[in-house]
Amino acid sequence: MTHILVLHGPNLNLLGERQPEIYGYQTLADIDAALVALAATRQAHLRSQQSNHEGVLIDAIHDARAWANGILVNPGAYTHTSYALRDAIAAASLPTVEVHLSNIHAREPFRHTSLLAPVCLGQIVGFGWRSYLLGLQALLDHLSPIA
Ligand code: CA2
């Protein structure tokens, strides 16, 4: 069994309620349910957590060292600001995939930089809620290569 921490950053609890033209109509619960369904087909177990607080996200990454094989993270706006989150991911040394609903590279210039990308396995952006599914697939393939 593969164990994955799914981490959702600030404001993502509002998904489905506002700005659907950018972030879509799916709620965070919808996304988590789709991820659990995919995980079930790959003998993977997910623990999902959302927080609006940088320190809580960092603590979750630290805790993951004790039980997880990998991390799937949408760091929200901390993507562009948080050296602390980057250090936590680097220190955890767990394969981590960064995902974004929107294409951050096609938006405001401040969103073009991810401080986290250099310490992640890879980054998937711009496919709405499917970015999460693609990210989980990539992470599970990395952990248990099919071929
Ligand atoms: O595209 C993404 O997934 C982002 O991580 C979303 C963040 C944004 O700061 C990043 O640049 C890109 C914002 C999440 C805000 O989510 C909301 C959802 C519904 C209504 C308002 C905000």
Side-chain angles (χ1 to χ4, degrees):
M1 182 70 87
T2 305
H3 298 274
I4 304 293
L5 171 65
V6 179
L7 214 44
H8 308 282
N11 298 310
L12 288 161
N13 54 308
L14 300 178
L15 276 181
E17 291 177 27
R18 289 159 193 247
Q19 295 185 274
E21 67 287 357
I22 302 177
Y23 299 119
Y25 289 94
Q26 284 72 24
T27 65
L28 208 54
D30 294 335
I31 292 173
D32 281 340
L35 289 172
V36 166
L38 172 61
T41 69
R42 301 284 303 262
Q43 287 74 51
H45 172 258
L46 308 183
R47 274 194 219 173
S48 184
Q49 188 174 348
Q50 187 276 331
S51 179
N52 295 320
H53 304 279
E54 195 174 13
V56 173
L57 296 167
I58 291 167
D59 286 343
I61 292 166
H62 291 179
D63 289 349
R65 289 176 304 162
W67 63 268
N69 304 107
I71 301 174
L72 182 70
V73 61
N74 182 345
Y78 286 141
T79 305
H80 323 296
T81 63
S82 180
Y83 294 108
L85 212 46
R86 173 191 173 126
D87 286 348
I89 290 170
S93 271
L94 288 168
T96 298
V97 173
E98 175 187 342
V99 299
H100 295 281
L101 296 152
S102 62
N103 179 356
I104 56 174
H105 305 289
R107 299 184 64 191
E108 305 95 318
F110 76 87
R111 295 187 204 276
H112 295 180
T113 300
S114 168
L115 297 178
L116 275 49
V119 295
C120 289
L121 201 56
Q123 184 194 59
I124 294 177
V125 308
F127 296 100
W129 64 277
R130 290 181 184 82
S131 291
Y132 281 90
L133 291 183
L134 294 167
L136 180 59
Q137 219 169 297
L139 183 55
L140 294 176
D141 286 355
H142 172 81
L143 290 168
S144 309
I146 290 164

